[in-house]
Amino acid sequence: MRAITLVARKLLNAALLLLAVIVLNFILIHMAPGDPATVIAGEMGGASAETMAEIRARYGLDQPLATQIFVYARRVATGDLGRSYFFNQPVKDLILRRVPPTLLLMISALTLAALVGVALGLVGAAWPHGPTAHLITFFSLAGYAAPVFWTGLTLMLAFGRFWPIFPISGMYDVVASRHGLSLALDVLRHLALPCLTLTLLNAAQFSRLARASLLENLSMDYIRAARAKGLSEFQVLCGHALKNALLPVVTMAGLQFGPLLAGAVVVETVFGWPGLGRLVFDSVLRRDYPVLLGILFFSALLVVAANLITDALYHKIDPRTRRLF
Amino acid sequence: MSEPILEIEGLQIGGPEKESLAVDGLSLSIHAGETHALVGESGCGKTMTALAILGLLPRGFRTRGGSIKLLGEEITALPPARLRALRGSVMSMIFQEPMTALNPVLTVGRQISEVIVAKKILPPKEARERAVELMGQVGLPRPATLYRAYPHEFSGGMRQRVALCVALAASPRLIVADEPTTALDATVQAQILELLREIQTRTGAAILLITHNLLAAGFLADSLSVLYVGSLLERGPAAQVLAEPLHPYTQGLLASQPLLEIGAGALLKAPARLQAIAGQVPRYQDKPPGCLFYDRCGVSRAQCARERPPLAPFGASRYAACPYASPTLWRQTHA
């Protein structure tokens, strides 16, 4: 019963948050200079004052802002995100087509970053004063400090020109048409560099956090107690310290989802990855407001979902947040 | 007499500062089924001694001299792997803080059974049954259900019972209990001490009881050592030491205790006023050149400041590190 109330409250919170995101985004975009009607007219190759008024009326741009927001929010609630000015297609279809590549990129990068980060953190914590630990700290800082686009371009140079083993752009081989396993391998090959770029950025944070968290846990009484049981260092580290140390790591994985999406926009642009990021970039240039709003809404949805998953995971790992009896 | 389970001879433990010793010249021995209490104020080297026995001294600290023999085997210079094999199986430890000595994210049952599995005593499934059995033996209700519970769902006393199960899991010959009742309520303290005694009777394990609580020492211990700034000031059979302390420090410790009930049932009257020992325990890095207790002692003479008195025999089985050690003064004030 308690669990159900808790979940219901979390979901209600999420819904309210999304509503706030819609209103805020709508106002922000409305405040930005530029009139969508001009853009649409421009696409049509110029228009008279009457046509402009007609366009405004057709897209509801002549209504007061509050009415526009209300109408938009009501439509979003029914799953309708409007039509793109540029493509003249439902925004939802445009987005849904581009979600899988972005999710593939983000989830693979996040998973890899967390795994590599925690592994490096383990090494750093097991031998905190050794040369390996210093090396890891150095590369962690370097990876964290380097701008995403720079890392991307460097990897492009390294693996596209000097040691060309990975394709540097797109998601599929455009020449050959592939199916099944061959297609999957092809996508993986294309995924390598963008995924690596995002991973390098994030693994640094994970490794530093995992190391700090592990070292903190290793100084705890229960670790001394575990050693007094005569467990091996591996059992002490991985069986006792790691699970405790993972709590902040899981929290950060959830928090990182938003910044990761922002990073994905840049990485997708650099590597021509056909995901949401590219669509954002193009839509900003085209002033395609419904698409922009739709993507912003969808990003918020993803981040909220990621946080809900984080909460659930946290619950799973830390027994203190649940009850047995 | 048979070979002692634990025999410590002239143990010296040094810290990061090369010249000063945290424990200096500690000797004691414990036979099967016996309890030896190591008594003293905080910071006198009790816990260091315990950690040295288990080979778990903190970074910077190490054994600088003397010997520790476990079942006749010298363990001060053992390779880490061999020492790890002895920990948990031949010797185990109970810690002061039951709140923090258990891992918060693992079930208590797993924390007990993992010792049995790690020491290859039983396979996982039987280890589980054995853990449930142990939990029942230490008086935990519904052990099969509680096996799956987490430490935060337990009270302090229950956690210390779990810690006892962990320490007992592999049937060790030596249990080092570091202030096992200090963090507990008075009534729970009595239960845990009672339980320790019961376990000892059943298993014949030797217990090294580390405590500042003379009541606990008197209840459980056969023999007793008084440690001060890392050095032994007095040693002897527990009942005798507590009834007629020889060293001024031991006398001071006793006089500062509100009430003392001794194992045999003799009750010492509480003095009209508690007498605290004036001053503070010096840090082991700042040891005075003469008697360690000199500046807090009521009977000290000028000579005490210059020469540190060695531990000298006093009668058949007692030792004290004081030339003026005598039960006379104590007899007069506590008749």
Side-chain angles (χ1 to χ4, degrees), chain A residues 52-135:
Chain A
M52 291 285 278
E54 197 193 315
I55 292 171
R56 288 208 178 88
R58 196 167 125 213
Y59 288 97
L61 296 168
D62 53 348
Q63 302 287 320
L65 183 63
T67 319
Q68 288 187 41
I69 293 179
F70 180 71
V71 170
Y72 182 72
R74 208 175 51 189
R75 281 215 316 255
V76 169
T78 64
D80 177 11
L81 294 174
R83 290 181 84 80
S84 157
Y85 299 154
F86 182 79
F87 294 102
N88 201 19
Q89 284 175 18
V91 169
K92 196 167 73 177
D93 298 352
L94 279 173
I95 291 179
L96 285 182
R97 210 177 308 143
R98 284 172 169 81
V99 163
T102 295
L103 275 186
L104 177 67
L105 177 61
M106 285 179 65
I107 290 175
S108 54
L110 195 62
T111 312
L112 203 63
L115 286 180
V116 170
V118 169
L120 291 180
L122 270 171
V123 174
W127 297 279
H129 305 284
T132 327
H134 292 304
L135 213 64

Side-chain angles (χ1 to χ4, degrees), chain A residues 221 227 229 231 240 244 324, chain B residues 87 100 103 111 114 153:
Chain A
D221 279 1
R227 292 205 170 107
K229 289 177 183 179
L231 301 180
H240 280 261
N244 282 285
L324 181 74
Chain B
R87 280 201 295 269
T100 53
N103 192 329
Q111 297 188 53
E114 79 176 339
E153 294 165 303

Side-chain angles (χ1 to χ4, degrees), chain A residues 282-304:
Chain A
D282 295 340
S283 302
V284 170
L285 292 181
R286 293 179 196 131
R287 292 187 199 289
D288 200 341
Y289 292 157
V291 177
L292 263 186
L293 274 176
I295 292 175
L296 290 178
F297 170 74
F298 208 84
S299 318
L301 197 69
L302 281 183
V303 171
V304 166

Side-chain angles (χ1 to χ4, degrees), chain A residues 10 29 39 44 65 81 87 91-92 104 113 141 159-161 187 193 226 228 234 238 265 285 296 303 308 311:
Chain A
K10 290 252 180 230
I29 286 191
V39 180
M44 290 164 27
L65 183 63
L81 294 174
F87 294 102
V91 169
K92 196 167 73 177
L104 177 67
L141 278 176
F159 293 105
R161 187 182 168 87
V187 170
L193 290 186
F234 180 81
C238 296
V265 172
L285 292 181
L296 290 178
V303 171
L308 285 177
D311 276 358

Side-chain angles (χ1 to χ4, degrees), chain A residues 40-41 162:
Chain A
I40 298 168
F162 298 118

Side-chain angles (χ1 to χ4, degrees), chain A residues 143-198:
Chain A
Y144 180 52
V148 193
F149 64 87
W150 183 84
T151 310
L153 291 175
T154 309
L155 286 178
M156 247 183 191
L157 267 179
F159 293 105
R161 187 182 168 87
F162 298 118
W163 190 29
I165 49 168
F166 290 121
I168 56 165
S169 180
M171 187 169 167
Y172 309 98
D173 191 341
V174 279
V175 186
S177 79
R178 299 164 190 269
H179 301 281
L181 187 65
S182 156
L183 175 74
L185 283 177
D186 185 43
V187 170
L188 270 184
R189 266 170 39 95
H190 280 82
L191 179 64
L193 290 186
C195 176
L196 193 61
T197 308
L198 271 183

Side-chain angles (χ1 to χ4, degrees), chain A residues 238-267:
Chain A
C238 296
H240 280 261
L242 185 60
K243 206 175 169 194
N244 282 285
L246 275 185
L247 293 172
V249 174
V250 166
T251 309
M252 195 174 79
L255 290 176
Q256 274 305 98
F257 207 76
L260 193 70
L261 194 62
V265 172
V266 180
V267 169

